[in-house]
Amino acid sequence: MTELISFEWDATKNIVNQQKHHISFEEAQYAFSDTKRIIAKDLEHSENEERFYCFGRIGESIVTVRFTYRKNKIRIIGAGYWRKGKQIYEKEYKI
């Protein structure tokens, strides 16, 4: 039996992220559905807990999602259409 992935986020941070990066966390969670997604450890922002990046395709765009794991859920911290994430994804798949 396949277990569903559960997501959570801070509602206020979601609004700020939409204003700043033009993507909601509701939409960003679809990056995890990309079968070619890349998960990488975030070495710069991992002070008190491990944090990660998910680089995944949503439609025609490559999205970078910063996240951590909390209580068996993926907690989204930030998301955007960042050049560096797109470059990592495209280099991996030679797009």
Side-chain angles (χ1 to χ4, degrees), residues 66-77:
R66 281 190 42 228
F67 71 97
T68 191
Y69 295 102
R70 288 191 191 160
K71 299 178 185 172
N72 297 322
K73 291 184 180 180
I74 293 174
R75 183 168 182 89
I76 296 177
I77 298 164

Side-chain angles (χ1 to χ4, degrees), residues 32-46:
F32 291 86
S33 298
D34 179 356
T35 56
K36 294 182 176 182
R37 72 187 172 275
I38 299 168
I39 304 295
K41 193 168 184 178
D42 179 351
L43 300 174
E44 292 180 25
H45 302 96
S46 300

